[in-house]
Amino acid sequence: MERIIAHYLIETPYDLDKATAILAGEQSSGTFVDIPGETQALKDRFSARVENIELLEQAQQPSLPGDSSPHASYKRARVSVSWSVENFQDNIPTLIATLQGNLYELRQFTGLKLDDFDLPDYYKSKFKGPVFGAKATKELAGVIPQKPMIGTIIKPSIGFTPQQTADLVKVLVEGGIDFIKDDELMASSANSPFEERVCQVMKVIKNHQQKTGKKVMYAFNISGDLETMKRNYDVVVQHGGSCAMLSINSVGWVGVKAIADLGGLSIHGHRNGWGMLNRHPLLGINFPAYAKLWRLAGVDQLHVNGIRNKFWESDASVIRSIKACSEPFLGIRKLLPVVSSGQWGAQAFDTYKHTKTTELLYMAGGGIMSHPFGPAAGVRALQQAWSGAVQGKTIEETEHECAEFAALVAKFGKLKTS
Amino acid sequence: MERIIAHYLIETPYDLDKATAILAGEQSSGTFVDIPGETQALKDRFSARVENIELLEQAQQPSLPGDSSPHASYKRARVSVSWSVENFQDNIPTLIATLQGNLYELRQFTGLKLDDFDLPDYYKSKFKGPVFGAKATKELAGVIPQKPMIGTIIKPSIGFTPQQTADLVKVLVEGGIDFIKDDELMASSANSPFEERVCQVMKVIKNHQQKTGKKVMYAFNISGDLETMKRNYDVVVQHGGSCAMLSINSVGWVGVKAIADLGGLSIHGHRNGWGMLNRHPLLGINFPAYAKLWRLAGVDQLHVNGIRNKFWESDASVIRSIKACSEPFLGIRKLLPVVSSGQWGAQAFDTYKHTKTTELLYMAGGGIMSHPFGPAAGVRALQQAWSGAVQGKTIEETEHECAEFAALVAKFGKLKTS
């Protein structure tokens, strides 16, 4: 029978074989004593199986509290455990409850992080994955394969009226932007009711489309309970929008899948709360596993942070995340990585150097909105940066050739390239 | 305008006033430069406001990575921040995106945990909360106020056929149990399809009800995508069941609310994955905040771990969690705390001593299933333990009077009472 394999980073003071067997046992029979009725045949068919154990390093101190008594050293390892598809069939919430369940609470581990997992071919026909994915999302916004999508966020995050939002959208679409989004803090607020915002913003976008043929993508934040999301989804469709944004961690897997399954809009997956799940090196989940779960739910666009971001995440993690979005997975469509946080163009050079892809959405907030010559110049500056990066030019060469990008360099300073 | 107040535990190398202002800023305007259009009037109306800062202690090392450069010391504090209800209205996923959003990723914090939050009266009419809650859930299972509900989990977690499950249920209901549940690893598996399991189990429960008048509550694990959950919910209702179990973290807030809103079954909230959200002392969320979010979604029963559990969680955290379930909150019903993990009766004494409540579900797996005289004796032993605890007797007195409880003490050893 085909098996699901999960890969963990663990830390334990105990013998690695024994500790990993406890992990597998907790996620199979799950109690602290032998149980009548649990035959060897049952165990063979339904138990988790340890597939691989690889010692990485030793530490002097535990990474997390909960060890029953102090130990001299703690082994860090990468371990792989497998389950039969018979246990879950196509039930992903129950698969998640197994891959990420009680095992974080086991005293025997002073660190445990789900790094990645592999699904067998059994799942190929079960999930359609992203309806649009990276390629069709870019096409929806009229962006050619050789360029990334350039996007921005409406700021201040909250407080603008629909008309103020629409006025800003007008400046941005006339400046040549491909994508604009609501902030995750903003859904329907007292002075920006959802439907009115959609109406005003789409009026601007459709006017621009009539003039230029280009339909800028706007990600309206439809996050809410199921009824709210469905109602707001319909509002976006009715007004001719092409994208809905969801705060995926707070909406949750089931709610996100229910909306993605509607199939009419590209789904912008905002991962706010990610730091809670990932910031500790030995607790939570790493992006390759996280991205697969949301790809199964049908998310089209997923946030990955950016190189030299304003947050804590390392460049290595960001690069790994961008690559994970296009990793082959059950034959379903690729995710469009959403690169953001503290981006203003200079990072395009390293982003392209390390990933060699323009199949991404490059988001800049302050980089566009506070450009010395105005937001339209900010959009051009980002396009110049990416064009330079793709052509293999340096920041200096691009700055020399392009006045708008040069103005951003003058404003934000020349960042060290790595 | 009424405000929502969130209470965080934070750690930062920076000045506390400045760091907390950054937290509030990130969750209001959310960018790294000043934005045209962000007027003082807008800020006053929509910005987060720092309400309180209380220094707790200083640490020499950061709790989490991401600090831009090493600092000599790190301040730990409790801080409170508030937002106007105008920002969210009744949109809880967006409230979660604000309370638990990007702020975990801020470099300025080397630790951040949402400890609790308070909602103003504005929300009183917006959420019905648990349809059954603690009181009516116990009543559904025919348990009097003076006693806790006694429950167990079908083990092995996965592998039994519906008939084997029903056979075990028969032994347990005849033994006088109040509550039985599926394991979270088990939803619909190859050899225990959901509907067949419900059919076989409910036949036993209804037979027992006809004979005795008591309807034992069985929590069927309906976790899955939305369609699966709705279908399985209906199956449980059709067969006369009274309870559905959800893996709340993997289903997510929206999916759980959609199911709880159906209103016909008591919702057993299984929090597997909790360790990922809580195990680090300065990352994630503490139970008081977590419980409120799920109470808003309409969960009736919520896991809280147990005293001297097999997991890492401290007794202090377990006791705080049990108390949080009955904290007054918007006038909505109380949660029934589900006490479990390594429980076999001896912990009843300390549990009652510290919480003075029988409004809980006391779950024992091995404690019941591996009782030397069989599962029925295991159930009696737990009832004896609770009866002794409520009457203010000691473990020794109860052991002396009650043969079944004495047999468990002989098997598991006398645990130190605190």
Side-chain angles (χ1 to χ4, degrees), chain A residues 38-39 61 95 112 132 154 165 195 206 215 225 235 242 246 270 306 311 321 327 329 337 345 353 355 367 404 407:
Chain A
E38 187 166 35
T39 63
Q61 296 293 327
L95 176 64
L112 191 142
F132 296 92
I154 295 291
T165 304
E195 182 156 9
K206 284 185 287 191
K215 184 172 174 178
D225 60 21
V235 167
S242 54
L246 296 174
H270 197 293
F311 294 133
S321 300
E327 206 179 282
F329 181 52
K353 179 178 145 194
T355 65
E404 290 88 352

Side-chain angles (χ1 to χ4, degrees), chain A residues 26 28-30 65 86 91 93 100 104-107 109 155 157 159 184 190 223 250 276 279 310-312, chain B residues 26 28-30 42 65 86 91 93 100 102 104-107 109 155 157 190 223 250 276 279 310-312:
Chain A
E26 174 66 25
S28 305
S29 75
E86 283 201 291
N91 192 322
Q100 296 190 267
Y104 294 101
E105 303 198 44
L106 295 173
R107 281 177 196 279
F109 296 93
K155 301 275 176 179
S157 306
E184 79 274 12
S223 304
S250 42
M276 181 173 71
R279 184 157 171 185
K310 68 171 179 168
F311 294 133
W312 67 280
Chain B
E26 174 66 26
S28 305
S29 75
L42 274 192
E86 284 200 291
N91 192 323
Q100 296 191 266
N102 285 342
Y104 294 101
E105 303 198 44
L106 296 173
R107 284 176 194 279
F109 296 94
K155 301 274 177 180
S157 307
S223 305
S250 41
M276 180 172 72
R279 185 156 171 184
K310 67 171 181 170
F311 295 133
W312 68 279

Side-chain angles (χ1 to χ4, degrees), chain A residues 9-269:
Chain A
L9 299 169
I10 63 160
E11 183 187 278
T12 180
Y14 300 101
D15 176 71
L16 279 179
D17 287 337
K18 203 173 143 189
T20 312
I22 288 168
L23 187 163
E26 174 66 25
Q27 295 311 83
S28 305
S29 75
T31 186
F32 61 111
V33 287
D34 282 336
I35 290 300
E38 187 166 35
T39 63
Q40 193 55 46
L42 274 193
K43 280 190 183 172
D44 291 345
R45 186 168 173 196
F46 295 103
S47 280
R49 196 162 72 199
V50 177
E51 298 286 349
N52 194 46
I53 298 175
E54 182 193 350
L55 179 65
L56 298 175
E57 59 180 331
Q58 305 244 11
Q60 300 309 308
Q61 296 293 327
S63 292
L64 292 171
D67 185 18
S68 47
S69 55
H71 287 81
S73 84
Y74 298 82
K75 298 170 199 77
R76 293 179 181 163
R78 182 175 162 92
V79 303
S80 301
V81 175
S82 75
W83 291 265
S84 166
V85 295
E86 283 201 291
N87 295 27
F88 318 101
Q89 301 177 330
D90 56 354
N91 192 322
I92 299 300
T94 300
L95 176 64
I96 298 172
T98 306
L99 300 183
Q100 296 190 267
N102 284 342
L103 36 81
Y104 294 101
E105 303 198 44
L106 295 173
R107 281 177 196 279
Q108 290 87 349
F109 296 93
T110 52
L112 191 142
K113 194 166 198 171
L114 177 62
D115 190 55
D116 199 355
F117 64 88
D118 301 309
L119 295 186
D121 285 350
Y122 168 88
Y123 288 96
K124 272 200 170 168
S125 57
K126 305 285 182 187
F127 292 91
K128 64 172 187 277
V131 174
F132 296 92
K135 190 162 168 282
T137 294
K138 282 181 69 183
E139 286 168 2
L140 266 181
V143 179
I144 59 169
Q146 295 76 24
K147 291 184 176 184
M149 262 170 101
I150 302 290
T152 194
I153 309 128
I154 295 291
K155 301 275 176 179
S157 306
I158 192 155
F160 273 171
T161 62
Q163 189 57 56
Q164 288 173 312
T165 304
D167 290 346
L168 192 52
V169 168
K170 189 161 186 289
V171 173
L172 290 162
V173 300
E174 288 174 354
I177 201 132
D178 304 312
F179 178 98
I180 308 169
K181 68 181 274 292
D182 283 339
D183 194 271
E184 79 274 12
L185 304 177
M186 153 67 84
S188 191
S189 72
N191 74 334
S192 186
F194 186 80
E195 182 156 9
E196 207 188 315
R197 188 165 78 250
V198 174
C199 180
Q200 300 279 359
V201 166
M202 287 311 300
K203 218 179 277 176
V204 172
I205 286 176
K206 284 185 287 191
N207 273 342
H208 183 73
Q209 186 186 7
Q210 281 184 337
K211 279 187 227 156
T212 65
K214 182 181 173 77
K215 184 172 174 178
V216 171
M217 182 176 279
Y218 191 105
F220 293 101
N221 182 13
I222 68 166
S223 304
D225 60 21
L226 192 62
E227 274 173 53
T228 303
M229 291 199 294
K230 282 183 171 172
R231 192 173 59 238
N232 288 349
Y233 188 99
D234 287 344
V235 167
V236 175
V237 170
Q238 281 156 19
H239 286 84
S242 54
C243 182
M245 165 173 152
L246 296 174
S247 286
I248 55 177
N249 294 318
S250 42
V251 167
W253 196 90
V254 166
V256 170
K257 179 160 197 300
I259 295 302
D261 278 347
L262 299 174
L265 300 172
S266 181
I267 301 297
H268 184 91

